Structures are given as C-alpha cells and as structure tokens.
C-alpha cells in the first residue's frame, strides 16, 4: 500500500500504543471508564465547596419553572422576568406562572410563517444553495432569542398559566417539530417548482394552504387559547381582586412599554465583530412585522457592570450561555475548575473564547435568569442562576455559576437601557451590521 502524506502509518501507531501502555495512569483511567462516565472520574469535588449557595446580593424569586422535554428555555426565562414585574404591580407575594404554552403556540405559528416567507424569497434557487439549505435544515425549532420573545408578547400579550396550561405536546415537542418541518419542506419543493416554471403568482395560494395546516397542527397539539379570562389575586394587604382581561389588555396593564426598555448585549471577542458595534442576523426571527434581532457587542467587564447594576436595583436578568461545558448534573455548580480533564487525559478543553466561536466549538445554547451575585470589593465572585429544569435539578432548581465560567461561556445578557452608558445606548441605535444566518451569534437558546 503506498505511503500517502497524512495517512496513519503502523510504525507510528505501534510507538504511540507502546508509550500508552507503559504509562500506568492510562491503565487506571481505562479501568475507571469501563464502569464510570468520563465526567465522573475527572470531577473535582473541591470546586463545589468553593461555590456555595450563599450570596451577598440576591433577589428572592418565585419557584423555579420546568420546560420539560422542550427547548423553550428562552420563553421560560423571558416569562420569569416578566412575572416578577407583574407580581410587583399586582402587589402580591402569591405564587403564579405566566402561560408558557400561550407564547409557545404563537411562536410556532409565527416561526412557520417566517420560514415560509423566507422560502418564497429563495424559491428560485436550488435547495442546495447555502442559505436555502440552512433554512430547510431546522425551519421551526423550539429555540429562540430575546428579541423574538419581545415580538411575541407585544403582539399576542400574556395570560396566567392557569388560563392556558401546558399540554403533552407543548412539553414534548419532537413530533410536532417533525410534522411542521414536513409542511415547510413540502411547500419549499412546490414553491421552487412553480418558480422555475414561471408560475410565481401561484405560490401564495400554496402558502395559504400550508399555513392552514400549521394552524390546525398546533391548535390540535397545544390547544386553543381563550380570548378573555378572569384573573383573581390577593395583594400584599390580603385584599381580594378579580378582573377580566384579554391577553393584550393583561400585557398592557402589567408590562406595557417596559418591554421596550431592554437591550441585548453580547460578548463575541472575534475579529469580525468590533466592540461597541451592533449586529443583526439575516433570516433569524419569528414575527415578520416584528423588530429585528439587535445585539450590541461589548467587552465582558462592561456586560458584567450592566448586569450588576440591574441586580442591585432588584431586577433579575435574562442571559444566554453555553451549558455544554463543566456542568455537573449531580450538583448545582457550573465551574470550569470542577472537571480536571488534563490530569486524567493529558489534555484540557480550554482555548480562546473567540476561537471557540469561530471554529464552532462553543456558542449560546441555553437561556436562564441571573438572580444574584456575590461581590467582594465590587468584583463578582459567583452568580446565582434561576433555571427552568424544575425543582428536582440543582439546588431546588437554582444553580451557581463561577465568575471564571461566566467569562468563558456567557455570550448574551439583556439589560434595561437605564443601566447602560450613554455611549452604549447610542451604539445600539446605529444601523446594525448584518451577519450570516449561520453566525454563532445567531444560535438559538433551547
């Protein structure tokens, strides 16, 4: 067999194997991995001791929610932010949730419409064209970003969870995601065929039929929400209140224009994204007529400063991170010092954050809420996190994030404009730079 540059030769393989067998550390690790997971054997328990669930600054929140087998963390985190606002205006300490199913239902319908419209704009191209292919790959997923959440609540309003509770399929979305993708891909095929035959005027009628199927699918699976509902609550003085709302009037009364005050900050230390510049992502969204994604790229220190200002003012913070790394499922800590891969394997996982983004090693994939921070001389040591995985995970559903883990794996935070500098507010208002649909800052939290 010819020797080709780059091929694996047996002499080198035998040398590597011989060296491997001579090192007793490899024998111990190999034996351990026969019966234990890799993360179990590299876990550093002392890291947990240094990451306690005690904070110098903490916001008491309502009980943790549970997204079940769905990728709706961004909706749950967004509604957890809004329910704290609603509770303050209600003057209640009572426990309640806003209907995640209600927002999820219309997110699915709006995303399907967004995907169909994207397909129409690309119908003349081959399905192998990169943008077209990217859209067809996962046209209606569970995931999303903050500005997509804002578009939904502004258009459709809010209601308490009791008025429109979860269904099996709102909590287990695999089957409906498969079916809606089939609807969209079938439409894409028909639209392309009509486009190349010069029958573009017929595409809209085919789209209308596809949307009828989308509505039917999600009304069947998620339910039909009420147009009006009664809401009862007791205020902090135990005075009883009862009022009739529409979803929009409920939103207008208890949230309203406050939703417009938030700005998405990202930390993307890559050469193509200068700091103090704002960005949007092409073909990313849900509500066609809604606001586009708008991320202001800032240095990590500036992101942390804004978050801390909001926390110290008693307001929790929606944020997005990559939870694929250094996550101990058996405890409540996210700490990059909690897993010692190097001692066991001879190599670690750390490389430059910007390079991790550029080379697709890391990107935002989960949204939660920051509800506390431990400060020493004004500098953060660790952060308290409200998750949406139920109370059986973490510490009754809450987690602790070390500050070093924050630096490496937090990519987005949403804060109110009043906690930003004048320069940041001005920068966020500029015409944004457009990024490709597959840019790491366009990944969805789920």
């Amino acid at each position: 067999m010819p020797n080709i540059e780059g091929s694996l030769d047996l002499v080198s393989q035998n040398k590597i194997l011989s060296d491997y067998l001579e090192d007793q550390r490899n024998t111990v690790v190999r034996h351990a991995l026969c019966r234990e997971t890799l993360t179990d054997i590299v876990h550093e328990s002392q890291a947990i001791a240094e990451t306690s669930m005690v904070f110098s600054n903490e916001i008491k929140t309502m009980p943790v929610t549970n997204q079940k087998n769905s990728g709706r963390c961004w909706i749950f985190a967004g509604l957890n932010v809004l329910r704290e606002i609603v509770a303050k205006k209600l003057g209640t300490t009572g426990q309640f949730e806003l209907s995640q199913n209600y927002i999820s239902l219309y997110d699915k319908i709006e995303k399907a419409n967004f995907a169909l419209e994207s397909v129409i704009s690309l119908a003349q191209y081959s399905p192998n064209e990169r943008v077209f292919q990217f859209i067809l790959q996962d046209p209606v997923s569970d995931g999303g970003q903050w500005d997509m959440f804002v578009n939904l609540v502004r258009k459709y309003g809010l209601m308490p969870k009791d008025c429109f509770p979860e269904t099996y399929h709102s909590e287990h979305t695999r089957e409906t995601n498969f079916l809606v993708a089939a609807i969209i891909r079938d439409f894409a095929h028909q639209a392309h065929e009509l486009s190349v035959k010069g029958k573009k005027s017929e595409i809209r009628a085919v789209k209308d039929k596809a949307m009828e199927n989308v509505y039917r699918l999600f009304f069947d699976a998620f339910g039909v929400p009420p147009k009006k509902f009664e809401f009862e609550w007791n205020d902090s003085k135990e005075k009883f209140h009862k009022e009739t709302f529409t979803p929009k009037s409920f939103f207008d009364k208890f949230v309203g224009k406050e939703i417009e005050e938030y700005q998405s900050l990202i930390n993307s230390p890559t050469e193509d994204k200068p700091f103090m510049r704002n960005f949007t992502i092409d073909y990313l969204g849900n509500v066609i007529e809604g606001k586009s994604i708008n991320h202001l790229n800032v240095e990590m220190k500036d992101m942390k400063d804004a978050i801390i200002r909001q926390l110290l003012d008693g307001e929790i913070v929606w944020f997005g991170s990559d939870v694929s790394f250094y996550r101990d499922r058996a405890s409540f800590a996210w700490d990059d010092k909690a897993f010692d891969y190097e001692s066991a394997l001879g190599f670690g996982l750390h490389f430059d954050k910007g390079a991790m983004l550029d080379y697709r090693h890391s990107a935002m994939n989960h949204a939660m809420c920051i509800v506390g921070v431990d400060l020493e001389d004004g500098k953060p040591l660790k952060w308290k996190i409200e998750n949406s995985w139920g109370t059986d995970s973490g510490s009754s559903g809450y987690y602790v994030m070390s500050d070093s883990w924050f630096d490496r794996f937090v990519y987005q935070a949403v804060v109110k404009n009043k906690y930003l500098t004048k320069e940041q507010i001005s920068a966020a208002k500029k015409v944004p730079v457009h990024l490709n649909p597959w840019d790491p800052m366009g990944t969805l939290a789920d």
Side-chain angles (χ1 to χ4, degrees):
M1 186 175 293
N3 184 22
I4 299 175
E5 184 179 10
S7 63
L8 298 176
D9 67 274
L10 295 179
V11 174
S12 297
Q13 281 190 1
N14 289 333
K15 176 65 168 61
I16 291 170
L17 177 60
S18 176
D19 292 344
Y20 172 86
L21 293 174
E22 286 180 6
D23 190 338
Q24 290 300 307
R25 179 190 62 178
N26 295 327
T27 302
V28 173
V29 172
R30 188 171 69 255
H31 289 169
L33 288 176
C34 286
R35 297 292 178 89
E36 300 291 340
T37 69
L38 177 58
T39 52
D40 282 339
I41 73 164
V42 301
H43 182 249
E44 174 53 69
S45 59
Q46 186 58 35
I48 303 301
E50 297 172 357
T51 314
S52 67
M53 189 62 79
V54 179
F55 296 84
S56 59
N57 301 276
E58 182 178 351
I59 301 169
K60 298 298 181 183
T61 60
M62 296 183 186
V64 166
T65 54
N66 194 340
Q67 67 189 80
K68 298 292 182 69
N69 291 325
S70 71
R72 299 174 294 159
C73 62
W74 61 290
I75 291 175
F76 275 69
L79 291 177
N80 288 342
V81 169
L82 296 191
R83 72 170 173 169
E84 300 297 334
I85 293 172
V86 172
K88 287 179 182 178
K89 293 181 179 178
L90 291 172
T92 181
T93 56
Q95 309 300 328
F96 75 98
E97 294 181 35
L98 296 169
S99 175
Q100 299 94 358
N101 187 23
Y102 179 67
I103 300 301
S104 302
L105 167 67
Y106 286 109
D107 175 58
K108 291 294 189 182
I109 291 170
E110 289 283 357
K111 274 181 182 163
N113 184 59
F114 193 96
L116 293 173
E117 286 296 316
S118 297
V119 165
I120 290 173
S121 72
L122 298 165
Q124 71 271 28
Y125 298 110
S126 161
N128 291 324
E129 193 274 335
R130 188 175 185 185
V131 176
F132 204 173
Q133 190 177 66
F134 183 85
I135 291 168
L136 294 176
Q137 181 177 337
D138 192 11
V140 180
S141 70
D142 290 354
Q145 293 199 4
W146 172 262
D147 288 325
M148 295 164 67
F149 172 75
V150 172
N151 286 336
L152 292 167
V153 297
R154 286 198 310 183
K155 183 171 182 177
Y156 293 101
L158 299 167
M159 65 176 64
K161 184 174 183 176
D162 291 344
C163 299
F164 194 56
E166 298 281 89
T167 69
Y168 176 85
H169 285 284
S170 70
E171 296 179 333
H172 304 78
T173 55
R174 183 183 62 83
E175 290 180 305
T176 52
N177 286 349
F178 173 79
L179 291 170
V180 73
I183 293 171
I184 292 165
R185 290 166 185 157
D186 180 46
F187 168 75
H189 172 245
Q190 294 181 65
H192 177 68
E193 292 294 306
L194 290 170
S195 181
V196 297
K197 291 177 180 177
K199 299 180 179 180
K200 292 183 179 181
S201 60
E202 298 179 23
I203 293 177
R204 286 283 164 192
V206 181
K207 185 224 171 181
D208 290 343
K209 181 61 178 177
M211 278 306 303
E212 287 179 20
N213 291 334
V214 168
Y215 275 106
R216 186 179 300 110
L217 169 64
F218 287 110
F219 285 148
D220 284 346
F222 288 25
V224 179
K227 293 183 178 180
K228 291 184 179 181
F229 57 89
E230 287 188 343
F231 182 51
E232 300 175 346
W233 75 96
N234 290 315
D235 63 24
S236 57
K237 296 180 180 180
E238 294 301 318
K239 182 180 178 181
F240 176 78
H241 300 264
K242 182 177 181 180
E243 198 168 338
T244 300
F245 294 98
T246 65
K248 198 70 172 64
S249 68
F250 186 88
F251 169 79
D252 291 340
K253 180 168 184 174
F254 297 114
V255 180
K257 293 183 179 179
E258 193 165 350
I259 199 70
E260 313 294 342
E261 299 174 11
Y262 292 93
Q263 173 62 46
S264 168
L265 305 178
I266 58 171
N267 177 245
S268 180
T270 53
E271 289 188 9
D272 64 326
K273 298 183 186 71
F275 292 125
M276 292 299 286
R277 206 53 193 91
N278 61 325
F279 299 87
T280 192
I281 296 93
D282 291 338
Y283 293 98
L284 177 62
N286 49 4
V287 179
I288 289 288
E289 71 275 21
K291 64 179 293 192
S292 299
I293 301 296
N294 189 320
H295 297 316
L296 177 65
N297 194 25
V298 297
E299 296 192 50
M300 183 53 80
K301 181 183 181 302
D302 294 333
M303 178 183 284
K304 288 181 180 179
D305 287 346
I307 292 171
I308 290 170
R309 284 193 287 271
Q310 184 159 315
L311 290 174
L312 294 182
D313 215 14
E315 298 190 48
I316 67 177
V317 176
W318 188 105
F319 82 108
S321 62
D322 183 352
V323 297
S324 308
F325 296 87
Y326 303 103
R327 190 175 90 207
D328 181 14
R329 291 183 176 273
S331 77
F332 55 80
W334 274 307
D335 190 332
D336 53 336
K337 299 180 181 65
F339 297 90
D340 183 8
Y341 290 96
E342 194 156 357
S343 293
L345 303 177
F347 62 90
L349 299 181
H350 179 67
F351 62 98
D352 179 75
K353 185 175 185 179
M356 287 198 299
L357 289 167
D358 282 339
Y359 290 90
R360 301 305 190 264
H361 187 58
S362 178
M364 182 191 74
N365 57 25
H366 188 53
M368 301 173 282
C369 293
I370 303 175
V371 299
V373 61
D374 197 22
L375 297 175
E376 186 175 279
D377 297 326
K379 296 182 179 180
L381 303 177
K382 61 181 187 288
W383 307 78
K384 184 175 181 181
I385 306 305
E386 178 187 18
N387 207 347
S388 56
W389 292 345
T391 56
D392 291 336
S393 68
S395 177
S396 298
Y398 293 90
Y399 287 79
V400 178
M401 177 171 57
S402 72
D403 192 56
S404 57
W405 192 95
F406 189 113
D407 286 335
R408 292 177 65 180
F409 301 113
V410 169
Y411 293 105
Q412 182 182 9
V414 176
V415 298
K416 287 185 173 179
N417 285 322
K418 64 182 178 180
Y419 304 113
L420 302 180
T421 65
K422 291 181 180 179
E423 293 76 15
Q424 289 168 342
I425 294 172
S426 177
K429 291 180 179 179
K430 292 182 179 179
V431 175
V433 175
H434 284 251
L435 302 174
N436 289 319
W438 46 84
D439 190 272
M441 289 300 113
T443 59
L444 302 180
D446 60 10

